[in-house]
Amino acid sequence: MSKVKIMIDPGHGGRDPGAVANGLEEKTLVLTIARRIKQVLVEHYNVDVRMTRDDDRFVTLGQRAKLANDWGADYFLSIHINAGGGSGFESFIYTNTSAKTKSYQKVMHEEITGRLYGKDRGMKKANFAVLRKTNMPAVLTENLFIDNAEDSRSLKDSTVIKAIAQGHVNGLMKLLKLSPKELKEPKSTTKSGSLYRVLIDDEQVGTFQKKSNIVSQVKKQIGKADRIEIELV
Ligand SMILES: [Zn+2]
């Protein structure tokens, strides 16, 4: 089965900084968020991820859509920071769009707002070029307001930036029913004498010394357990 293709689109770039305020630039923040999303997706999931830009360059809106269309992306995800008086998070899809796109927006919106401080401004529709010109389901997220004092403080906090990125990852995971890549079988055993207990949903399933035994216990539970812990005894 071919991998799902996700095109991530960090807004603006190069001579177009996007919104600028409080010592922050939209083009830089969205690139950081987009790279983080890509990194987490590629490391943990079996998906193909590309970005419309991966450095500080100007790309037209038409070129962004063309990159996604030519590649045959399955999903398009455009990342922006808001401005203009307000606070919080909102997401956009094209004004006239499919049920598939609506459910894409809903899942993304819920997962991102679920981990974000600040106001939920709602799921919206707009005639944005990247949403209109892309052939696949496309969502554009506006992640906090750069010109709002409180939001801009959040945007300067790397844990908030990571949470924003993780919200996007979780949305995609849920939408695509992605499960983490299989753990690689380790070659060596643990240091002699060290014993680990494995707990599944807070219940001990056993204590193990060999790494392969620990991993096989964990593997069995991935996708089933809510919580898997490995603890040095
Ligand atoms: Zn923007």
Side-chain angles (χ1 to χ4, degrees), residues 7-226:
M7 182 62 90
I8 304 174
D9 175 44
H12 313 278
R15 61 184 150 90
D16 168 21
V20 180
N22 294 310
L24 293 168
E25 282 187 327
E26 180 181 359
K27 67 173 182 178
T28 312
L29 289 168
V30 296
L31 184 58
T32 305
I33 294 167
R35 280 178 175 158
R36 174 93 193 164
I37 296 169
K38 182 181 175 183
Q39 183 202 337
V40 176
L41 282 174
V42 169
E43 266 177 28
H44 298 283
Y45 304 98
N46 234 357
V47 287
D48 257 356
V49 182
R50 286 190 189 174
M51 286 163 60
T52 53
R53 66 178 180 95
D54 195 5
D55 53 20
D56 182 20
R57 74 173 66 195
F58 180 77
V59 185
T60 67
L61 299 174
Q63 283 166 346
R64 292 167 195 260
K66 192 173 185 302
L67 283 166
N69 292 343
D70 288 353
W71 183 36
D74 295 296
Y75 291 90
F76 186 86
L77 179 57
S78 191
I79 317 285
H80 289 255
I81 309 290
N82 227 330
S87 68
F89 173 85
E90 59 195 14
S91 64
F92 289 91
I93 52 174
Y94 183 50
T95 43
N96 178 17
T97 190
S98 64
K100 195 176 174 190
T101 304
K102 284 178 193 152
S103 59
Y104 175 29
Q105 178 183 31
K106 187 166 184 285
V107 171
M108 296 303 290
H109 192 97
E110 285 173 357
E111 290 296 323
I112 298 162
T113 52
R115 355 181 92 241
L116 202 63
Y117 314 89
K119 198 172 144 196
D120 179 357
R121 302 169 60 84
M123 292 186 276
K124 300 182 177 180
K125 291 180 176 179
N127 183 15
F128 292 150
V130 289
L131 301 180
R132 185 178 64 248
K133 292 182 173 176
T134 39
N135 298 334
M136 66 296 303
V139 166
L140 184 147
T141 61
E142 290 279 4
N143 301 276
L144 304 177
F145 279 68
I146 206 166
D147 55 355
N148 174 280
E150 202 179 317
D151 280 10
S152 72
R153 271 197 296 278
S154 295
L155 291 167
K156 285 174 185 169
D157 182 344
S158 66
T159 59
V160 174
I161 295 293
K162 283 181 187 165
I164 292 172
Q166 192 61 45
H168 287 75
V169 170
N170 291 356
L172 290 166
M173 263 173 57
K174 201 168 170 186
L175 180 81
L176 304 169
K177 299 182 175 64
L178 296 172
S179 48
K181 282 180 189 169
E182 292 250 310
L183 291 171
K184 294 225 167 52
E185 206 62 67
K187 286 182 188 76
S188 60
T189 56
T190 57
K191 250 197 304 183
S192 68
S194 45
L195 205 59
Y196 288 83
R197 70 164 63 96
V198 177
L199 295 113
I200 307 297
D201 294 332
D202 300 320
E203 267 189 47
Q204 181 168 324
V205 294
T207 51
F208 307 92
Q209 197 172 351
K210 278 176 79 178
K211 269 189 188 174
S212 56
N213 291 340
I214 298 168
V215 169
S216 77
Q217 287 297 323
V218 170
K219 267 187 176 171
K220 274 190 228 163
Q221 298 299 332
I222 287 178
K224 291 185 206 158
D226 291 315

